[in-house]
Amino acid sequence: HLTKQERKEIVNAIIEAEKMTSGEIRVHLQKKCKRDALQEAKKVFHRFKMHKTKHRNAVLIFIALESRQFAILGDSGIHGHVGDSFWSQTRDKMVSCFSKGQIKEGIVAGVLNVGEKLKVHFPLGNEDKNELSNKLTEG
């Protein structure tokens, strides 16, 4: 569903989004979602130990391409600052692209939107390091 170049552009968006924040963003791609996308996202979030970041500020964008489902899951640190309305706004931006068949653009829009909010609440400090890989994960 995504070309090699599109995948590279998503990784570049993650790198760009994380430049000014201690927050962590991961995009996980799956072909199908056996159940609710949010439940699947929670399993992936814990499998990759995203809840173990220093500031509990990791965000997972989970996409089940063939099932046409996705979820955005933020850890307690970032969720406490932004609440449900932010996740809904991000979802709506992504859906706007997805509905036009612009899958890569939708994912990038979500990543950059999350990055902007992480930058506000978790600016990059001198001691911060990249805690999670920026590579796309697949399952």
Side-chain angles (χ1 to χ4, degrees), residues 59-98:
V59 176
L60 173 66
I61 296 177
F62 171 90
I63 313 277
L65 294 164
E66 289 179 13
S67 300
R68 300 175 64 114
Q69 294 185 56
F70 76 102
I72 309 162
L73 183 61
D75 205 350
S76 59
I78 184 62
H79 183 72
H81 286 286
V82 301
D84 291 334
S85 63
F86 172 72
W87 306 119
S88 295
Q89 291 166 351
T90 304
R91 180 197 65 224
D92 292 348
K93 283 183 181 193
M94 294 175 70
V95 165
S96 175
C97 293
F98 292 165

Side-chain angles (χ1 to χ4, degrees), residues 6 8 12 24 26-27 30 40 43 45 50 53 61 65 71 74 91 94 96 98 106 117 125 128 130 135:
E6 288 173 324
K8 186 176 179 182
N12 287 340
E24 298 289 338
R26 168 165 276 152
V27 173
Q30 265 183 216
E40 287 283 319
K43 285 175 58 180
F45 196 91
M50 293 180 68
T53 60
I61 296 177
L65 294 164
R91 180 197 65 224
M94 294 175 70
S96 175
F98 292 165
K117 202 54 95 167
D128 288 324
N130 194 13
K135 291 182 178 162

